[in-house]
Amino acid sequence: MRVSKTSLPASDRAARLREALLAAEFTVDGVLDALGAPAYAALARSETVPALRATRGASRLKTLVRLFLLQCSVPADRAGDALPLDDALADGWLAGGESAGGGVSGAASGSVRATVDIRPYGGPEGQDWFIVSDLGCSVGGAAGAGGRGEAVVLGVGGASTTLAGLTVRRQVASALDLGTGSGLQALHATQHATRVTATDLNARALDFTRLTLALSGVEQAELLEGSLFEPVGDATYDLIVSNPPFVISPAADGAPGGRRTYRDGGMAGDDLCRTLVQQAGDHLNEGGFAQFLANWEHVEGEEWQDRLRSWVPRGCDAWIVQREVQDVTQYAELWLRDSGDHQAVDDDRYARLYDAWLDEFETRKTHAVGFGWITLRKAALGTVRGGPSIVVEDWPHAVEQPLGEAVEAHFLRQDYLRTHDDAALLAGRFTLAAEVVQEQVGLPGAEDPEHVVLRQHRGMRRATKVDTVGAGFAGVCDGTLSAGRILDAIAQLVEEDPVLLRDRTPESIRLLVGEGYLEPVGE
Ligand SMILES: C[S@@+](CC[C@H](N)C(=O)[O-])C[C@H]1O[C@@H](n2cnc3c(N)ncnc32)[C@H](O)[C@@H]1O
């Protein structure tokens, strides 16, 4: 399909194609059943042989998998059994396939092939959605769509689903997906935002987004072409999400390897992410959230936390989580592999590209790159007391997605802590969060543990070392007694001066509330 602004199939025809895909069970579960778990998992590793073997038969589902995921030509009559063939050819979803001699044949004379990737994608409520992207992306990612160069539009990747899981999903009036690509974030937003705007620098991406939304059977979004916030003017939103082209690369016009719009922002270093974060404040409504995936440089002589803190716009609270750090060699290799450049037949080319990445980092005094999540919340007017809450932390451990509710709860907890001094904290009541357990660490057989750890089994799955008073305190928190009363009882038990205990414990209570082990009651 030459995806263009005019290529959106009439909505009734898109609806008919959707119906046909669903009738053939071309869904996440249907494909998993048809392929079997090993072949399905192999596809995620870009290995197609097991799936090709599993789709040798003639079922409608197997035909659709071969067409839209495996990029095979299939006999036109088989395609006609699986979907409305004339519509699909007229709208450009399919084209004449390869003839036995290798040339392109007309559909009538034998075979057809897909022009785009269509990947079944399950919505959070079990919706059957489809993500439309450039051919080859579903199976091989960027490398699979190789040869399409700068303007390739990728489908679903790990980063896309991470951001979708992190997003705060409260009902809002307006949402913006900046750098929409094949439209996955916009698709999610249609479920809880009255108006959705999706932008991209790459006009092809907007066309793919239109197809993704049409085929998924949801409302269309406002689609705007342009860089960063430029296409939206001074519009403001309740929610902004972006999985931007965050890769810090030497790619610029003329650089070896070339620029890829889905990946390289075209600005030096981490400037694109910084600009995005800094400008977001002006485009958020009061109380609104902006959520980004980002990469950032670790620069010699500078703390990465300070660099990130300096990006936060005035009037916004922020929670920045660094999930991973790679040294510059790992980073260069990751992206050279991702784009398929490691497969260069000419060994020198790979070495030249690798060198260019390292040159760039050396010039910029960058020794490592951090990967993570940035969430901003614009303070509601009149509620800011005692300055913004900016939390910057390293959390490389496993988390439980979706985290949207945990993200919202983080900001509510920061609000609570900012508005409660120590006396108020001691007067407050708390409950232990669900599924927090205590672990005792020490030598086998030892009478007392060396230390006690509280561990969450939900959300961020944090683990925090506490002393015995902290553990005892958390254990008693069932929302009935005030923190002060609990501390007085503990003081009696451990024969400590209750005044001293009340004096020294609020700091630990703050930590336990801030990290979500304890939940304030009645707030
Ligand atoms: C990593 S892809 C994200 C796609 C999709 N939102 C997702 O989550 O899977 C980044 C997208 O940003 C777009 N992009 C690149 N530079 C941009 C810019 N300066 N302004 C807006 N979008 C840009 C690319 O074309 C690409 O579609």
Side-chain angles (χ1 to χ4, degrees):
M1 179 183 288
R2 195 183 73 76
V3 175
S4 76
K5 282 204 165 53
T6 54
S7 63
L8 176 63
S11 61
D12 55 336
R13 292 209 303 269
R16 277 207 297 279
L17 177 55
R18 173 176 168 76
E19 273 166 32
L21 300 182
L22 295 179
E25 292 186 53
F26 187 58
T27 60
V28 174
D29 290 345
V31 173
L32 175 60
D33 274 358
L35 298 187
Y40 191 83
L43 273 188
R45 301 191 300 271
S46 308
E47 298 291 349
T48 53
V49 172
L52 284 166
R53 291 169 64 89
T55 53
R56 277 176 182 152
S59 79
R60 288 181 296 162
L61 176 53
K62 288 177 179 174
T63 301
L64 293 174
V65 171
R66 286 197 155 230
L67 275 172
F68 292 119
L69 294 180
L70 300 176
Q71 304 167 58
C72 300
S73 292
V74 306
D77 55 346
R78 253 188 222 176
D81 288 342
L83 44 69
L85 185 60
D86 290 340
D87 283 0
L89 285 164
D91 288 335
W93 300 99
L94 300 181
E98 294 232 321
S99 67
V104 175
S105 72
S109 61
S111 64
V112 292
R113 61 183 171 78
T115 59
V116 291
D117 227 295
I118 299 180
R119 172 170 168 173
Y121 176 77
E125 313 287 339
Q127 299 95 324
D128 289 313
W129 286 339
F130 298 97
I131 305 294
V132 188
S133 64
D134 261 320
L135 202 60
C137 288
S138 269
V139 172
R148 251 163 247 278
E150 187 166 327
V152 67
V153 176
L154 290 189
V156 185
S160 332
T161 51
T162 296
L163 179 61
L166 281 179
T167 302
V168 174
R169 300 279 172 209
R170 26 175 217 167
Q171 195 63 41
V172 290
S174 55
L176 169 67
D177 173 15
L178 193 154
T180 189
S182 52
L184 182 138
Q185 312 301 338
L187 174 60
H188 277 276
T190 60
Q191 304 301 290
H192 63 107
T194 313
R195 278 176 296 112
V196 178
T197 300
T199 68
D200 208 290
L201 182 63
N202 180 357
R204 296 184 75 239
L206 299 177
D207 296 324
F208 278 108
T209 294
R210 200 182 276 118
L211 298 174
T212 288
L213 300 180
L215 207 53
S216 297
V218 303
E219 289 279 307
Q220 278 297 328
E222 176 188 34
L223 302 174
L224 302 174
E225 182 182 341
S227 182
L228 296 174
F229 289 102
E230 172 266 317
V232 306
D234 52 12
T236 57
Y237 301 87
D238 299 323
L239 174 68
I240 299 172
V241 287
S242 185
N243 169 14
F246 50 63
V247 179
I248 299 164
S249 76
D253 293 338
R259 178 176 172 196
R260 285 157 171 102
T261 311
Y262 70 84
R263 184 188 81 175
D264 311 305
M267 291 185 180
D270 52 20
D271 279 358
L272 182 125
C273 289
R274 179 181 52 75
T275 308
L276 191 58
V277 174
Q278 286 178 335
Q279 294 183 353
D282 290 337
H283 295 277
L284 277 177
N285 291 330
E286 278 180 28
F289 285 91
Q291 299 190 262
F292 308 110
L293 298 186
N295 280 187
W296 44 80
E297 295 170 272
H298 284 226
V299 179
E300 278 166 33
E302 193 180 351
E303 293 295 331
W304 71 269
Q305 293 93 334
D306 295 341
R307 181 182 190 79
L308 270 287
R309 222 172 257 121
S310 75
W311 291 5
V312 176
R314 276 168 70 91
C316 286
D317 298 316
W319 184 23
I320 298 169
V321 183
Q322 178 167 275
R323 298 284 296 154
E324 190 183 351
V325 183
Q326 290 194 350
D327 71 45
V328 291
T329 61
Q330 293 170 306
Y331 192 77
E333 289 160 27
L334 169 73
W335 293 109
L336 288 169
R337 264 198 314 274
D338 183 78
S339 54
D341 283 325
H342 66 306
Q343 291 161 336
V345 258
D346 142 26
D347 281 349
D348 268 5
R349 181 167 182 276
Y350 178 65
R352 275 197 318 277
L353 293 177
Y354 199 152
D355 236 5
W357 284 70
L358 296 187
D359 280 349
E360 173 80 4
F361 288 130
E362 199 171 272
T363 313
R364 301 185 57 78
K365 299 193 176 354
T366 300
H367 57 88
V369 177
F371 295 63
W373 314 329
I374 299 179
T375 302
L376 305 176
R377 185 192 56 175
K378 181 131 173 183
L381 271 183
T383 61
V384 184
R385 279 194 249 169
S389 152
I390 301 178
V391 176
V392 184
E393 63 173 318
D394 239 327
W395 186 253
H397 308 292
V399 297
E400 185 194 40
Q401 282 273 34
L403 271 170
E405 282 182 18
V407 171
E408 193 171 6
H410 164 91
F411 286 90
L412 294 176
R413 290 196 301 267
Q414 298 304 317
D415 288 346
Y416 175 87
L417 291 174
R418 265 190 303 187
T419 50
H420 289 70
D421 61 15
D422 286 356
L425 212 60
L426 290 173
R429 289 175 294 127
F430 302 90
T431 52
L432 190 64
E435 296 188 50
V436 170
V437 296
Q438 172 181 312
E439 292 171 0
Q440 307 207 345
V441 182
L443 284 174
E447 235 169 63
D448 291 319
E450 268 164 44
H451 56 258
V452 178
V453 171
L454 294 186
R455 185 179 295 281
Q456 301 167 347
H457 282 278
R458 311 308 304 255
M460 291 292 280
R461 293 192 169 141
R462 293 183 188 278
T464 298
K465 236 197 251 184
V466 287
D467 59 15
T468 44
V469 170
F473 178 84
V476 178
C477 280
D478 62 1
T480 51
L481 292 177
S482 71
R485 294 271 305 277
I486 296 175
L487 288 182
D488 292 345
I490 292 178
Q492 228 176 18
L493 265 175
V494 298
E495 295 175 9
E496 187 172 338
D497 180 344
V499 177
L500 288 181
L501 196 62
R502 275 178 175 250
D503 241 23
R504 74 174 170 88
T505 313
E507 198 185 327
S508 319
I509 301 178
R510 274 184 196 283
L511 177 79
L512 293 179
V513 173
E515 299 207 331
Y517 294 92
L518 295 179
E519 292 167 355
V521 173
E523 293 291 330

